[in-house]
Amino acid sequence: MPPSQIEIGLLLHTRHLIRDGDSGSHVSELWKTAERADEMGFDHLWVGDSPRLSLQDRAHADCLTITAALAARTNKIRIGTVPLILAMRNPVLTAHSLATLDVISGGRSMIGVSAAHQYPFAQREFEACGVPFHQRAGRLNESIQLLRRLWTEPSFAFEGKYYRFEELGIEPKPIQQPIPIWIAASDNDNALRRVARLADGWFTVAHTPAQFAERRRKIDQYAKEYGRAEKIIPSMLFAAFHLSYDTAAEAEGWNLAEKYFDQPRAKLGHLSAFFGTPQQCAEQLRAYIDRGLAGIVARFVAPDAEMQMRLM
């Protein structure tokens, strides 16, 4: 796949909106970055549905509220949340919110979902929302199917393992029929099977091209088992970037990442890191592209988003 066909998305940081002072100025900066990405031709904008709990200093602003505001402030760029923790939410209410967002945006919405964040207080957060933590995978699978039906069918009754209701439908229906649902999965076979069976696209944080290729191979194999051999399931790499022409770009990138996550490098092994010159990072990405990567979502660790967007 030629590099010109690779989609480039931008992750907007929302953690500092609620943990730092002067929140108003931070929100204004967020809108400015989003509008600039729209003008520059980025393909999509993303916000995270990270923990709401204040413990561990990890809470973020509410993702669906932010995406609705982004839809009203941009014109062309697609807008999504990744990963939306769908199992924690009521699927009827979520389907309604996302359908409304799609109407507001003129059909530009998309979502990336996963079962749950892996962090110490995840179970506490689920329980606080009335959802048993051990049910998160099953609820996610059922919710994905419910969202698609609520978006496309006038009305229906449902009797599932986790959700049940008498005949109903939602309005408005989304412009897209249906809204694309991407699924985040690493090397867990159950998660990769979920991608193969239910996904419109696959989010990955594969740290090497070889990891990416092996997981891609498994998804294609499982898709055949589920009778979806002809379904094209595109893939997107969620990665951290620091672009600079400075010879110390890699070291600077790790320093910035440690500062943002408030963790030493030894504990940041979950990051797919692209720290270097634009040419170096392009070559690093080429190995993924040659193995079928369709797009990236870039998390910039440097505070100067304008410069990073230009270099990207």
Side-chain angles (χ1 to χ4, degrees), residues 182-206 211-236 291-293:
W182 290 59
I183 298 178
S186 55
D187 60 348
N188 179 284
D189 273 0
N190 288 334
L192 293 174
R193 284 184 175 277
R194 181 181 296 116
V195 172
R197 184 165 61 94
L198 296 172
D200 294 311
W202 168 45
F203 264 113
T204 179
V205 290
Q211 272 187 354
F212 170 75
E214 175 59 16
R215 295 170 189 177
R216 174 80 266 176
R217 183 193 66 77
K218 286 186 176 182
I219 289 171
D220 291 342
Q221 174 188 321
Y222 296 148
K224 291 179 181 178
E225 295 177 15
Y226 291 120
R228 300 182 85 203
E230 303 303 317
K231 171 70 176 178
I232 297 175
I233 304 175
S235 52
M236 201 118 59
R291 289 162 173 80
L293 186 71

Side-chain angles (χ1 to χ4, degrees), residues 46-123:
W46 298 88
V47 295
D49 181 21
S50 291
R52 285 134 283 273
L53 302 181
S54 59
L55 301 169
Q56 288 194 315
D57 192 29
R58 292 194 56 175
H60 286 53
D62 176 64
C63 61
L64 296 183
T65 305
I66 292 289
T67 50
L70 289 171
R73 288 177 171 270
T74 55
N75 298 304
K76 298 172 294 182
I77 198 165
R78 282 172 285 160
I79 300 160
T81 296
V82 60
L84 182 70
I85 310 304
L86 188 56
M88 194 182 294
R89 294 173 161 81
N90 176 282
V92 177
L93 293 176
T94 303
H96 188 224
S97 294
L98 292 170
T100 303
L101 173 63
D102 199 57
V103 172
I104 292 171
S105 68
R108 292 183 288 129
S109 67
M110 54 198 302
I111 58 170
V113 301
S114 75
H117 290 284
Q118 298 302 314
Y119 83 110
F121 296 102
Q123 182 168 348

Side-chain angles (χ1 to χ4, degrees), residues 105-300:
S105 68
R108 292 183 288 129
S109 67
M110 54 198 302
I111 58 170
V113 301
S114 75
H117 290 284
Q118 298 302 314
Y119 83 110
F121 296 102
Q123 182 168 348
R124 185 178 303 184
E125 186 174 25
F126 267 74
E127 298 290 347
C129 294
V131 179
F133 191 62
H134 68 276
Q135 295 180 0
R136 61 195 185 280
R139 284 177 180 267
L140 172 60
N141 295 341
E142 202 165 285
S143 292
I144 290 171
Q145 298 173 69
L146 270 175
L147 260 60
R148 289 200 174 108
R149 292 190 65 183
L150 288 163
W151 288 335
T152 57
E153 298 181 26
S155 63
F156 61 94
F158 187 77
E159 183 73 29
K161 181 176 181 179
Y162 305 101
Y163 305 103
R164 56 193 58 85
F165 48 80
E166 296 182 6
E167 184 175 357
L168 58 77
I170 64 163
E171 292 291 346
K173 290 288 191 286
I175 293 174
Q176 300 177 90
Q177 288 288 304
I179 297 168
I181 299 177
W182 290 59
I183 298 178
S186 55
D187 60 348
N188 179 284
D189 273 0
N190 288 334
L192 293 174
R193 284 184 175 277
R194 181 181 296 116
V195 172
R197 184 165 61 94
L198 296 172
D200 294 311
W202 168 45
F203 264 113
T204 179
V205 290
H207 296 95
T208 68
Q211 272 187 354
F212 170 75
E214 175 59 16
R215 295 170 189 177
R216 174 80 266 176
R217 183 193 66 77
K218 286 186 176 182
I219 289 171
D220 291 342
Q221 174 188 321
Y222 296 148
K224 291 179 181 178
E225 295 177 15
Y226 291 120
R228 300 182 85 203
E230 303 303 317
K231 171 70 176 178
I232 297 175
I233 304 175
S235 52
M236 201 118 59
L237 180 68
F238 189 87
F241 281 83
H242 177 59
L243 304 173
S244 172
Y245 286 108
D246 193 308
T247 55
E250 182 176 1
E252 185 180 47
W254 282 114
N255 287 336
L256 288 164
E258 288 178 331
K259 181 179 179 182
Y260 178 78
F261 291 101
D262 195 24
Q263 296 279 348
R265 180 174 175 177
K267 293 186 176 182
L268 295 177
H270 61 284
L271 293 182
S272 291
F274 292 77
F275 300 157
T277 67
Q279 292 81 4
Q280 288 171 336
C281 292
E283 286 304 312
Q284 192 178 347
L285 278 169
R286 188 178 301 278
Y288 288 86
I289 294 167
D290 290 344
R291 289 162 173 80
L293 186 71
I296 59 173
V297 173
R299 180 210 304 268
F300 296 137

